[in-house]
Each structure stands twice: as C-alpha cells, then as structure tokens.
Amino acid sequence: LLARMPAFRDLEPDGHVPLFADTQPRIFAGDVHPEMPAIIREAASIASVESAIAVHHGDFRDLSKRAIRERLGVQLEHGLILANPPYGERVQPDELEALYADLGRFCANFPGFRAAFLVANQGFEAAFGQRPRIKKPLSNGPLRGYFYLYEIG
C-alpha cells in the first residue's frame, strides 16, 4: 500500500526534481511469510527509505483502513495498492478464489486509490469483483498472467 502525503519539495540526491514534487511517499508493506518483514526492512535500509515504510507481518484481511492510516500517519485519500497475490501454485483453488474476493472487498475500502496486481491465475478478475481499467498480458517465468490496474471508486 502506497500513500501520498503533501509538502515534499526537496530535490532528489542527484539534483533532479522528483516526478511528484508535492508528495512524500509513505509505504505500508506486508506479507504473511515470517521472513519477509526482515527482508523488507533490510531493503528499505539499503535504499535509505526506512523512515517512509511501515512493515506488517500478517494477512491483509486482519487490517483495517484505520490501522494502516495510524501506522503511516497520513489520511489515505489517494494512493496505490500494489500486490502480487498467490497464483495457485501453493494455495488450493477454493482458498484462492476466496482470497481474491477478499482482496477486492479490502480494496473497496480505499476510494480514490488505484490498485495494481500481477496475477497468473485465470480466476482472479471474476473473483476480485471489479472491472479493471487496464489488463495487459505478461509472463512470470513459465507462467502466463496479467497486469491488472483498477480505479477504486
């Protein structure tokens, strides 16, 4: 989950003006895998952006918009939800459909946001429950999938 916060007007370290000069990125990163929070924190430290990231270990279904807003310290009026949900390689098909439907309901709590997903599962679009603004074919190694972009309204 990425959220934008106004009033960031500094130049980038290389002297270039940032693409969105009136925003400061805030990132809420999470994963259910127990090793991922440490990996996320290490990557953020290497990129020198650890102050912009709140890390969560757990399932998105256990999160509320309020909890995310409190962790990030921003209003969450605009932003991007970005995920690479399971494709079905390690999750049972019936669990996967429920996961995609829950993801659609979760995203519906963020009007004004965009949501983008990389998915190699034919059932994602129907289970998510919204029509994508953009749907582009892609592959992840041998898996054929799609990039989906949604405007959450």
Side-chain angles (χ1 to χ4, degrees):
L1 176 73
L2 300 174
R4 296 187 302 178
M5 186 170 82
F8 181 76
R9 300 197 182 279
D10 295 337
L11 293 177
E12 294 292 318
D14 62 4
H16 291 92
V17 176
L19 182 61
F20 299 103
D22 63 338
T23 63
Q24 179 177 354
R26 297 291 297 151
I27 301 167
F28 187 89
D31 201 292
V32 296
H33 193 280
E35 295 177 12
M36 286 309 295
I39 293 169
I40 293 166
R41 286 185 186 97
E42 181 181 355
S45 177
I46 291 168
S48 299
V49 295
E50 59 266 36
S51 65
I53 296 177
V55 180
H56 171 75
H57 173 245
D59 196 309
F60 73 90
R61 293 173 279 204
D62 297 330
L63 291 169
S64 68
K65 184 175 182 179
R66 180 181 178 182
I68 296 168
R69 182 178 59 233
E70 288 172 0
R71 293 276 307 273
L72 290 175
V74 296
Q75 287 301 314
L76 299 181
E77 296 171 8
H78 305 285
L80 172 67
I81 298 167
L82 179 63
N84 184 7
Y87 301 161
E89 299 295 306
R90 295 175 296 238
V91 180
Q92 297 300 317
D94 57 331
E95 294 175 27
L96 202 57
E97 186 175 321
L99 175 81
Y100 294 160
D102 289 345
L103 185 56
R105 286 188 287 277
F106 176 81
C107 289
N109 291 309
F110 295 88
F113 273 61
R114 289 184 173 159
F117 306 99
L118 303 174
V119 184
N121 184 290
Q122 298 274 342
F124 177 81
E125 189 174 348
F128 187 77
Q130 297 183 38
R131 183 181 170 114
R133 183 175 144 221
I134 296 173
K135 178 181 177 181
K136 295 284 186 184
L138 58 81
S139 36
N140 184 358
L143 301 172
R144 297 284 302 144
Y146 291 94
F147 167 79
Y148 294 97
L149 178 68
Y150 294 87
E151 299 284 344
I152 308 299

